[in-house]
Amino acid sequence: KSALAKDIGKELGFDNIVEFNASLRDPVDLLGTPNNQGDTTVWKKPDDLAVLETGRNLLILEELTDCSPPMQNACCGLIYDRKVGNLHLSSETYIIASGNRTEDKSGAFRLSTKLGNRMRIFDFDVNLDDWCEWALDKNIDHVLIQFLRFKPDLLSNFDANARVSPTPRAWERVSAIPTSL
């Protein structure tokens, strides 16, 4: 999911591509920090998101379903109203959010109804041919691709009770292991 969002952004030639891992952040990371100098509080917008106020941009909200309810609430305004705190997204900023389904038992929380109603949701199924095409394009080790064609059930065999499970992301990381030292 994450790699696909980045690939879309690169292919479409956005001015800026910002990845925001919402599950590792707090609502204040969207709202900005308060500056209490003077008579009123002024919210300082986050600098990593301020680049999205002008130009043609892509914001990738990573692991949205891993977010706490308060962070999901903060994302509601960002996604629907295109603003949160003093941050106002340009009209040409597009948003892709990724996350796992609760039924996959991967640690995802239920997406709040109000947040879900602000988005179009697409479920993706793992497809070996699609993954192999992507892997060839990304210079994933050919031996690994051949192995998965031989054992296709191992491309994605998630087990919520296992410490580690084979997933497309895990196979990409396997390919990064040096074959010689």
Side-chain angles (χ1 to χ4, degrees), residues 88-159:
H88 300 264
L89 301 180
S90 80
S91 62
E92 293 186 277
T93 294
Y94 298 85
I95 302 171
I96 295 177
S98 69
N100 294 306
R101 301 172 300 192
T102 54
E103 59 266 26
D104 296 329
K105 297 183 170 74
S106 63
F109 298 109
R110 181 184 169 276
L111 192 64
S112 72
T113 303
K114 67 181 173 183
L115 182 55
N117 283 339
R118 288 164 166 79
M119 301 184 295
R120 290 187 185 127
I121 297 175
F122 302 95
D123 287 330
F124 286 85
D125 293 319
V126 175
N127 178 285
L128 179 66
D129 291 332
D130 290 343
W131 188 86
C132 289
E133 182 179 329
W134 173 87
L136 286 168
D137 188 50
K138 297 297 179 193
N139 296 316
I140 301 295
D141 188 321
H142 291 269
V143 173
L144 182 64
I145 295 169
Q146 291 169 348
F147 171 75
L148 289 171
R149 286 218 178 267
F150 175 67
K151 294 282 192 177
D153 291 346
L154 292 179
L155 175 60
S156 184
N157 191 7
F158 182 78
D159 177 356

Side-chain angles (χ1 to χ4, degrees), residues 16-21 25 47-52 57-62 94 96:
N16 298 292
I17 300 172
V18 174
E19 293 179 62
F20 185 85
N21 194 323
R25 307 286 287 266
D47 67 341
D48 57 339
L49 299 177
V51 298
L52 303 173
N57 310 300
L58 177 62
L59 171 59
I60 302 171
L61 295 174
E62 292 281 350
Y94 298 85
I96 295 177

Side-chain angles (χ1 to χ4, degrees), residues 20 24-32 45-46 48-49 71:
F20 185 85
L24 300 177
R25 307 286 287 266
D26 291 316
V28 72
D29 294 329
L30 284 177
L31 295 170
K45 59 186 117 189
D48 57 339
L49 299 177
M71 188 59 175

